[in-house]
Amino acid sequence: MKLTLLGHTDNYAVEQLQMALFPENPEGEAVSTLHRGKTWLTATAKITINGKTTVSSKRLKAEGETVPLRRRILQQSYYLAALPHLPEAPAWGALAGVRPTKLTTRHLLEGGTVASARKLMEEVYYVSPRRSRLAAECSESTAAAAGLLEPTDISLYVGIPFCPTRCAYCSFVSRTVGKHTELLEPYLQALLQEIAFTGKALETSGFRVRTLYIGGGTPTTLSPSQLKTLIGALQDNFDLSRCLEFTVEGGRPDTLNPEKLQTLFDLGVGRMSINPQTMNDRVLRACGRPHTGADVVRSYQEAVAAGFRDINMDLIAGLPEDNYEDFCRSLDTVAALEPANITLHTLALKKGADLFEKRGNLPSREEVSRMVDYGEQVFRSLGYKPYYLYRQKYMSGSFENVGWSKDGRDCLYNIYMMEELHSILSLGGGGMNKVNLPDGTLQRFHNPKFPEQYISQLESVLEQKKTLFERMKGSKSCWTP
């Protein structure tokens, strides 16, 4: 659908909302206009689809203009003009960003209440009552997590961009190793150099590690001895005395066994992810996963036997070949294991994933909606509480991903990373460093994506780390209003 801007250049704010509201990109035209008068700043949207034209306006006092408020009225006017063209009101209203909880978190940290945060979401952004509740509850966890931080705290991420095979829905940059593991050792040796370099720089910076997360890819593609080498290097080069949480993504059960799980637990790893995505063997095959639902249960039980109590399990609503009844059975099976965390994702059709081009046999938006609703109903009935939330582009039904925790056992790293409460140092291929600068802005530094690039460009990675630490000087690690 053609979009024309008149009187302003805030194209991103309006374009993202148009993409979210009209993902099928119908034939038509939208015009977003901003008029500056002496007293009022007026945003008007005019949308024409299939011969039907709708118009809506929102305004604010010109003397009170700020960039966020200007973009707000542009999005509000567009949303209200779009609403008559939609089959139903979108759950997230006029919000198009991936982090809707930033609004409710800021509101709470500035002294607001859960009730007033929900009112803000519903009356200003037209968010549905259910989603406003989710956002406000997640922000309660964020505010509590922020209270654990000191200004010199950071989180540390270590990326292992390897997987046994590639899942059909995955767009992460990783290498599928199968039986060919010859790249693992050179990658590990390069990573050990970055660990040593960064550890020395961090020691003199005044910053300390608050959470440590090893992700991927699938980190447990590494052997027990390689995991010992990696974690030993982290413990030798970083002061982890203030570290509250150490997580490793086990991910797939076809990379786990009792020896590996016991090794991780004995090395001080406190949190583990075992992510089935579905417990239905037919759906697993459609996603390119060679293991079974029974393998997931076995790995979970082996992790518990090794000593793990804080275990996360991921599920995805909207996978190919799945349906509402089978999804409910998957969710019930996972919930019966009583993991500390269950993360319910909604399928996102990402560029770079096989499913982006091959979209056959996907559940309908209505069916995905029922899956998401069922998940929330079950989790709440079992005493789980939502603790972090984010959205993605091209997400089925334009819903959300929500992490649920039991007995207050939130994953702090997920909160700090998603809400950008402090700087995140990332090591390894595909890692993204997020640095909270002294002026309150955020700057991102990317490591090379592919393992081969990371190995060959290691010197530039280390040079970038020098720049990163220079930028961190004088920065605040904790979001304070």
Side-chain angles (χ1 to χ4, degrees), residues 304-332:
V304 172
F308 286 100
R309 295 297 177 266
D310 289 341
I311 301 174
N312 173 75
M313 303 185 80
D314 283 2
L315 291 167
I316 300 178
L319 289 172
E321 301 288 348
D322 210 356
N323 56 56
Y324 174 72
E325 290 76 17
D326 286 344
F327 173 83
C328 293
R329 279 190 282 272
S330 289
L331 190 143
D332 290 343

Side-chain angles (χ1 to χ4, degrees), residues 90-103:
W92 286 104
L95 292 179
V98 299
R99 297 179 180 89
T101 50
K102 279 206 165 184
L103 294 167

Side-chain angles (χ1 to χ4, degrees), residues 464-477:
Q464 180 179 261
K465 280 291 188 296
K466 291 181 183 178
T467 302
L468 185 153
F469 275 100
E470 284 296 319
R471 300 289 174 84
M472 286 174 64
K473 287 180 179 178
S475 66
K476 289 184 178 180
S477 69

Side-chain angles (χ1 to χ4, degrees), residues 45-63:
K46 179 181 179 180
I47 299 177
T48 303
I49 300 175
N50 296 328
K52 179 181 178 181
T53 299
T54 54
V55 180
S56 183
S57 296
K58 279 287 182 178
R59 65 181 187 175
L60 64 86
K61 284 287 186 70
E63 64 183 10

Side-chain angles (χ1 to χ4, degrees), residues 217-456:
T218 306
T220 44
T221 303
L222 298 176
S223 68
S225 63
Q226 288 170 328
L227 288 168
K228 285 182 182 178
T229 299
L230 171 60
I231 294 174
L234 291 169
Q235 292 169 334
D236 289 342
N237 288 279
F238 292 96
D239 178 4
L240 301 179
S241 60
R242 280 186 51 79
C243 187
L244 291 173
E245 180 183 274
F246 185 178
T247 304
V248 171
E249 284 188 4
R252 292 171 44 159
D254 48 333
T255 66
L256 298 173
N257 57 47
E259 179 191 3
K260 199 173 290 188
L261 289 163
Q262 194 65 59
T263 296
L264 290 170
F265 186 78
D266 291 345
L267 288 169
V269 178
R271 301 184 70 89
M272 168 64 59
S273 288
I274 300 173
N275 303 329
Q277 317 304 359
T278 174
M279 297 296 283
N280 185 292
D281 293 349
R282 182 189 72 257
V283 181
L284 284 168
R285 288 192 297 273
C287 292
R289 286 193 162 216
H291 64 81
T292 66
D295 293 329
V296 175
V297 175
R298 170 189 53 78
S299 291
Y300 182 89
Q301 292 170 340
E302 290 171 350
V304 172
F308 286 100
R309 295 297 177 266
D310 289 341
I311 301 174
N312 173 75
M313 303 185 80
D314 283 2
L315 291 167
I316 300 178
L319 289 172
E321 301 288 348
D322 210 356
N323 56 56
Y324 174 72
E325 290 76 17
D326 286 344
F327 173 83
C328 293
R329 279 190 282 272
S330 289
L331 190 143
D332 290 343
T333 301
V334 167
L337 296 172
E338 299 186 74
N341 301 143
I342 302 176
T343 306
L344 179 52
H345 297 266
T346 307
L347 178 67
L349 295 171
K350 305 171 186 175
K351 292 181 180 179
D354 291 345
L355 274 182
F356 191 82
E357 299 297 335
K358 306 170 185 176
R359 306 186 188 189
N361 299 318
L362 294 177
S364 67
R365 181 193 183 284
E366 292 72 24
E367 199 162 18
V368 172
S369 178
R370 293 175 64 203
M371 294 174 181
V372 172
D373 290 350
Y374 181 77
E376 180 175 352
Q377 172 191 332
V378 170
F379 298 150
R380 289 192 184 280
S381 71
L382 295 175
Y384 287 87
K385 178 187 179 298
Y387 76 94
Y388 93 115
L389 179 158
Y390 67 102
R391 302 174 68 204
Q392 293 171 281
K393 294 180 181 178
Y394 313 113
M395 180 172 276
S396 179
S398 193
F399 294 120
E400 65 282 321
N401 303 322
V402 182
W404 297 82
S405 68
K406 199 167 189 178
D407 302 325
R409 292 181 290 174
D410 302 346
C411 177
L412 294 173
Y413 173 83
N414 284 340
I415 295 173
Y416 296 149
M417 180 271 299
M418 190 55 59
E419 296 288 345
E420 297 170 341
L421 293 183
H422 64 189
S423 295
I424 308 289
L425 284 185
S426 292
L427 312 181
M432 181 173 68
N433 301 273
K434 294 183 178 183
V435 178
N436 286 18
L437 300 175
D439 63 1
T441 61
L442 184 78
Q443 188 169 0
R444 292 173 171 84
F445 297 80
H446 297 268
N447 280 3
K449 292 184 177 180
F450 294 99
E452 299 92 335
Q453 293 174 333
Y454 173 76
I455 294 169
S456 65

